[in-house]
Amino acid sequence: MLRLLILLAVVLLGVYYFFPESVEQVVEEGGDSISRAVDGVTGAAGGEASVSLVPSDTTPLETELIDAAGKGEVARVRELIARGANVNGRGTDGATPLIAAAVAGHRATFELLLEAGAEVDARDSRGRTSLLLVSSRGESELARRLLDAGADPDIKSNTGNFALLEASRYGSAEVTRLLLAAGADPNARATNGWTALRTAEERGHTSVASILREAGARP
């Protein structure tokens, strides 16, 4: 049994070393499930309703806006904004409408929210910005728009991941160039010590690795 536990610990450490964001997501989702379960039990025992996970300052309008942004419903997003929905309202996971649009890759909705004053560097409960999220998928047009709007390329998530690291992991030469041109630190390190260059090399993204080296990056 002891050997099994040691082996499991080694495997988990290895997974965290290479995929810290994935481990963080599992932990957070597990924590949310436990919180919901505890709330449900408390409500049943005390005769009270379970505690809502929605931020106290989030109104139904903001909840609808986040939903519409995530679905790419431009007309609905425009209508909700006109009705006074806060474009920087947050959902249960801390995501704003802009983050929801970034995750789903809905460009028209994304642009509409930016024009309405959405905060470009807003972070969800895992510390991820819209720029980090679009960089993780190589969405160069959205990344360019965010950087033009003043997004900080070096903001790190709760696990120390950052946009340049994600662009390197994805293998996007274009997003990598955009981030470096915007002043991203080529030698920034994640919590596990990985740099963008090391990530690109480990993944076999030679063109991205060359761009990083030219910018002064070290493994």
Side-chain angles (χ1 to χ4, degrees):
M1 178 61 73
L2 180 58
R3 290 181 179 178
L4 180 60
L5 290 175
I6 293 174
L7 178 60
L8 180 59
V10 171
V11 170
L12 288 175
L13 286 172
V15 172
Y16 177 74
Y17 187 74
F18 289 101
F19 307 105
E21 286 286 333
S22 298
V23 173
E24 181 192 42
Q25 182 177 11
V26 171
V27 171
E28 289 190 353
E29 289 177 351
D32 288 344
S33 297
I34 293 173
S35 296
R36 286 192 291 270
V38 171
D39 289 339
V41 171
T42 302
E48 300 177 355
S50 60
V51 178
S52 172
L53 295 177
V54 177
S56 59
D57 59 347
T58 299
T59 71
L61 275 180
E62 276 81 63
T63 300
E64 288 186 47
L65 182 58
I66 293 168
D67 179 68
K71 294 178 179 177
E73 298 174 346
V74 178
R76 187 176 168 214
V77 167
R78 185 177 288 111
E79 175 196 350
L80 289 166
I81 292 174
R83 289 170 56 190
N86 179 8
V87 294
N88 293 309
R90 295 179 180 277
T92 57
D93 58 355
T96 62
L98 186 68
I99 291 175
V103 169
H106 295 306
R107 297 180 184 179
T109 304
F110 194 85
E111 184 65 34
L112 179 59
L113 289 165
L114 283 176
E115 292 174 355
E119 184 182 344
V120 294
D121 286 333
R123 303 168 67 178
D124 65 13
S125 60
R126 296 168 62 188
R128 302 174 304 174
T129 63
S130 295
L131 182 59
L132 186 152
L133 291 165
V134 301
S135 296
S136 69
R137 297 195 311 277
E139 293 274 4
S140 58
E141 290 185 27
L142 296 184
R144 186 190 305 276
R145 183 66 180 88
L146 284 165
L147 291 168
D148 288 344
D152 185 342
D154 287 328
I155 291 179
K156 295 183 178 181
S157 71
N158 296 346
T159 55
N161 279 16
F162 45 95
L164 190 61
L165 183 74
E166 293 299 323
S168 299
R169 179 178 299 167
Y170 185 86
S172 175
E174 187 171 0
V175 174
T176 298
R177 288 194 183 94
L178 287 171
L179 293 168
L180 290 170
D185 180 3
N187 290 303
R189 292 181 181 274
T191 303
N192 61 6
W194 280 55
T195 63
L197 178 56
R198 181 176 178 184
T199 300
E201 290 177 336
E202 289 288 336
R203 295 286 178 119
H205 302 311
T206 56
S207 60
V208 172
S210 296
I211 294 169
L212 290 165
R213 287 195 197 90
E214 290 174 3
R218 299 181 299 276

